[in-house]
Amino acid sequence: MVRNTSAAASAPGTFARHHFASLALLILGIGLFAFIGIADEMLEGDTLRYDRWVLLALRAPGDPGDPLGPAWVEEMFRDFTALGGIGVLSLLTLISVGYLWLQGLRRIALFLLLAILGGLLLSLALKTGFDRPRPELVSHGSMIYTSSFPSGHAMLAAVVYLTGGALLAVVHTDHRVRVYLICCAVLATFLVGASRVYLGVHWPSDVLAGWAAGAAWAAACWLAAHWLQQRGRIEGVTQPGPGA
């Protein structure tokens, strides 16, 4: 009975380890499928009606220049959108890489850096390829510099937070810590994307496509890291120390 109880208690962690590759492949497939579908609908103009409805629903009736809610809500969403800016994401990347490096996980640290740089290059390439104009239906609540599709903030937030959160999670053996890190990564990714629509700097389809592409890239990086760990090319999960 004691043995069965112990096995049951460790079931969530065992299940996650055994089915990690399948879960990552599922996320990769869904992300790619969703991005291709949204991109196809966007190019045909089929998303415009939905995009316009959502943007106008988030503005004060009769005044497209005024987002819903008091001024402090708008300021809060500007703070959220900053979490997906290049400056903040670069700082978080360097902090994460430094943390992994100090933990002695130097190959994982380098892998994380390369994964995020690759995601940045992919985002820029997609933006250049689609070259969708920014929405002019409402006034912008944030500065803009690049084209609209996919949302760079949403995509890079997914790349940095989901990839970084997953690779930071491998440092810990506690299942609760791992779940907490991944949940924080998902929450940050969601808030960044939602803020871009609220501030009127992106169509909703831009953000959905950014989330899909970013999640797919993160899943591909998870699979690559898992494959490298299985072959001893990068460090594996830290084992608990005495008394852990």
Side-chain angles (χ1 to χ4, degrees):
M1 291 296 295
V2 174
R3 181 178 179 180
N4 291 338
T5 303
S6 177
S10 62
T14 302
F15 180 87
R17 287 195 299 272
H18 288 174
H19 297 274
F20 173 83
S22 298
L23 178 61
L25 280 171
L26 178 63
I27 295 173
L28 175 59
I30 292 175
L32 288 175
F33 180 80
F35 179 81
I36 293 172
I38 295 170
D40 182 63
E41 293 292 311
M42 183 274 294
L43 290 173
E44 294 179 358
D46 294 337
T47 64
L48 190 56
R49 181 179 178 182
Y50 163 78
D51 285 335
R52 290 172 59 90
W53 179 82
V54 173
L55 276 188
L56 289 177
L58 294 174
R59 321 303 279 194
D63 186 6
D66 181 22
L68 286 178
W72 66 266
V73 172
E74 185 175 353
E75 187 65 24
M76 182 174 64
F77 272 93
R78 286 198 182 94
D79 293 338
F80 289 154
T81 211
L83 295 175
I86 291 295
V88 172
L89 292 179
S90 297
L91 179 61
L92 288 175
T93 298
L94 292 176
I95 290 173
S96 300
V97 168
Y99 174 75
L100 291 170
W101 191 275
L102 292 174
Q103 288 289 320
L105 304 173
R106 297 185 176 182
R107 285 175 287 178
I108 290 183
L110 292 175
F111 179 89
L112 174 61
L113 182 60
L114 292 175
I116 291 175
L117 288 176
L120 172 61
L121 293 176
L122 177 61
S123 175
L124 294 174
L126 290 173
K127 279 181 168 291
T128 301
F130 287 101
D131 197 27
R132 185 188 195 185
R134 294 278 182 160
E136 297 181 353
L137 186 63
V138 299
S139 61
H140 298 158
S142 180
M143 295 295 294
I144 56 174
Y145 305 99
T146 59
S147 55
S148 193
F149 187 93
S151 167
H153 275 64
M155 180 174 174
L156 290 178
V159 168
V160 173
Y161 291 117
L162 297 183
T163 305
L167 293 182
L168 286 174
V170 305
V171 178
H172 301 278
T173 55
D174 191 328
H175 178 68
R176 295 170 300 176
V177 174
R178 293 184 180 184
V179 171
Y180 176 77
L181 288 171
I182 297 299
C183 288
C184 287
V186 171
L187 177 61
T189 301
F190 171 78
L191 289 175
V192 169
S195 72
R196 302 306 281 171
V197 178
Y198 178 83
L199 294 174
V201 294
H202 274 295
W203 300 108
S205 56
D206 298 336
V207 170
L208 291 175
W211 280 338
W217 179 262
C221 291
W222 299 345
L223 285 169
H226 184 66
W227 185 85
L228 291 171
Q229 284 179 336
Q230 294 289 82
R231 284 152 183 78
R233 304 292 180 84
I234 62 175
E235 301 87 351
V237 177
T238 301
Q239 297 299 320

